[in-house]
Amino acid sequence: MMQNSLSFFNTRILKNSLSSKNIVLCLFVLLFPAIMYYGLDSISLILSKINIYPPIPPGDYMVYITVQVCIYILLAIGLNIVCGYTGLLDLGYVGFYLIGGYTVGLLMVRLGLSYWFALPIAIIHGAGWGLLRGAPTLRLTGDYFAIVTFGFAEFLRIAVKNEIWLIGDINGFVKKIPPVSIPFTEIEFRENWHHYYHILILIAIVIFVSYRLQHSRIGRAWIAIREDEQAAASMGINISRYKSLAFAISAAIGAIGGGFLAQFWGDLSARTFEFWESILILCMVILGGKGSIKGSIIGAIFIGFLGEILRFIPDQLDLPELAGARYLVYGVILVLLMRFRPDGLIFKKSG
Amino acid sequence: MDEFFQQLINALVLGGIYALIAVGYTMVYGIIQLINFAHGEVFMLGAYFAFTLVTAFHLPFWAAVPISMILCAGFGLLMDYVAYRPIRNAPRLSALITAIGVSIALQNIARIIWGAKPRPFPSDSLPSFMRQLGQNETPEIYFSLLGIEFTQANISFSENVSIAYLDFFIILLAIILMVALNRLVTLTKIGKAMRACAQSRIAANLMGINTNRVIAVTFAIGSFLGAIAGVMVGVREYIEPTMGYYKGVAAFAAAVLGGIGNITGAMFGGLLIGFAEVFGAGYIPYGYGSGYRIAIAYIVMIIVILIRPTGLFGKSTGHRA
């Protein structure tokens, strides 16, 4: 157990993971904006000299959509804690995304608080709602749990649309969220590559927390609950406590995603947090294989970029009515996955 | 008091529609324990099918509605055959996720085919009594009986209380179909087979019942009833790709309230949700009622699941969820 719980810092594992493939991957991730700005744009520039105009998107746009996908990576890792580890179907994850977004947005706009104070408050706020939602649903399993979570998220969205005294505008609009600056410096997060490194750090923290939890006593307790709740209880696992913990941590991660989104977009609207967004995140987790961090990340990258491509093609072909095809594809993916690979396309579930 | 009676009539109409949709949810759940998320989409397709038959194929309304219902019943069969039957023995959550996938896919197919804009049912294709009068038209009075005036557009009880013929027709239709469904389930052979399957699918199979066929018939009946509700909502309000989602959730809440798996429960649940929505929207002050109108069904649903998961009419099954 000692070896296991220390594995993240285990030098032997660290040495093994320093393969050339991983180093290249790390460098790619770290230098991604530079590659996009200098690589992609210069390719387009060279090709344009010889009068070829392939539909290569500009580098800045690529970085922008990568940041969007990174938000989904963060959310997928968060949802994976409830859906993957404890095996409960959460259809309302977007609710915590909403809470994080509006907490940061409103604290920054209406109280003028700094992002660096607003984000921790949002995380605690999100975790609080996770516990609040979790407490009455502890004894529910299966589809009843799914339905309550779904109702919860939809209720929050409607509340945000209606509580004008709180939000300050109709339809949940929060506008002109100021850009974030690094304390004691003049640097403001305005460019897309600023946001990219910002979310990269957040993802690193979340992966670290999630990884350490998965390989700890807590993670094993979650997996035991997933496999057989009664057996887990009879082995002395405090079901309520561990489930509540999973809800709170998962909700907190969702709130981080929302908080980031608020300052990234600068505007919030209730329409961002519709039910389909939950399904999108669920689709990512299931595609990658429930219970696997790597799977969630790859699922989020795949679905996220697929969505952007499916948005890009109708734009290029000038067929706006095909924009709905995005969600059609997600639906078909869900059906096919459940039919042929219910444990996910990429990784088998661990444990 | 006039307002109260008018709201009562509106609630009855809405409740009848919810009841028609809710039986589709509850029958499927009763037999295969699946929340058929896509049922709301079948309801939406019912409206769109009738709309297309009327506008593109120029069929009369009375022909379009039954054809749309039959198409939807066929669609229910297809859905069961393609999506749900292959994973019948998989874990229950897989089936739920499949249902959500089917639901999203159908909703967006509708959006691609018919566009996202809400469309009214073309009023010149409707039978004359279903037409709604313009703002300035004063209805011609046909005759009056015991102080009740039968006019061109509605039956008017007093100056402010009236029921449109369309609404009257919806209530009547809901009652007839509910009674027919009740007879079907309690008196016929297929109804008996359904009840047997609901009790235990394995035992029913051992008794020589073709359970796959019974499940298919259940899907077909649910879709059939959903389709007519869809047409009625389409005529009364308008048709849009998300109508199945919103009305579907409210109807699902009705099914949960009545005790999921219980057909009589679904009928009463539908009425109660209709009442809660109409009176909530009408009487909760400061604009909260109308703003939270959609949320009322969610709240009822959550409270019922948390406090009494078996619903008002459901029997405790021993296992939950």
Side-chain angles (χ1 to χ4, degrees), chain A residues 127-247:
Chain A
W129 278 90
L131 286 176
L132 201 67
R133 188 192 78 177
T137 54
L138 280 173
R139 33 190 203 101
L140 301 177
T141 53
D143 21 280
Y144 277 6
F145 178 81
I147 289 301
V148 171
T149 55
F150 157 78
F152 166 79
E154 280 293 275
F155 180 76
L156 278 183
R157 188 175 63 82
I158 295 167
V160 157
K161 270 172 92 167
N162 281 291
E163 301 300 329
I164 295 167
W165 60 272
L166 180 69
I167 309 295
D169 205 342
I170 51 161
N171 286 333
F173 283 124
V174 177
K175 286 174 186 157
K176 295 203 181 71
I177 298 167
V180 176
S181 58
I182 299 176
F184 313 116
T185 62
E186 300 283 295
I187 304 167
E188 280 190 339
F189 291 166
R190 286 183 179 278
E191 300 290 330
N192 283 329
W193 63 271
H194 293 148
H195 294 299
Y196 177 77
Y197 287 114
H198 180 184
I199 188 107
L200 216 55
I201 292 167
L202 292 178
I203 290 178
I205 295 168
V206 165
I207 291 177
F208 176 72
V209 169
S210 181
Y211 184 90
R212 290 304 307 265
L213 282 171
Q214 186 187 357
H215 294 276
S216 70
R217 191 189 180 86
I218 297 167
R220 284 191 298 275
W222 284 340
I223 289 166
I225 293 172
R226 176 183 76 195
E227 296 304 326
D228 190 332
E229 198 170 316
Q230 282 167 345
S234 66
M235 287 292 147
I237 293 172
N238 187 339
I239 303 279
S240 313
R241 202 169 130 197
Y242 282 106
K243 267 193 185 174
S244 301
L245 194 64
F247 294 150

Side-chain angles (χ1 to χ4, degrees), chain B residues 103-169:
Chain B
S103 166
I104 304 178
L106 288 179
Q107 195 184 110
N108 287 289
I109 288 173
R111 187 165 291 157
I112 289 168
I113 297 177
W114 288 288
K117 253 199 320 209
R119 292 158 182 256
F121 215 90
S123 68
D124 50 343
S125 66
L126 293 178
S128 61
F129 76 89
M130 284 189 183
R131 248 169 248 164
Q132 274 145 3
L133 287 187
Q135 204 62 273
N136 298 324
E137 286 179 80
T138 39
E140 187 187 329
I141 297 169
Y142 289 153
F143 61 91
S144 61
L145 190 75
L146 303 171
I148 301 171
E149 288 174 345
F150 290 79
T151 71
Q152 194 184 346
N154 52 25
I155 306 168
S156 151
F157 298 100
S158 76
E159 201 178 331
N160 295 319
V161 185
S162 65
I163 175 167
Y165 287 122
L166 172 65
D167 291 352
F168 188 69
F169 178 73

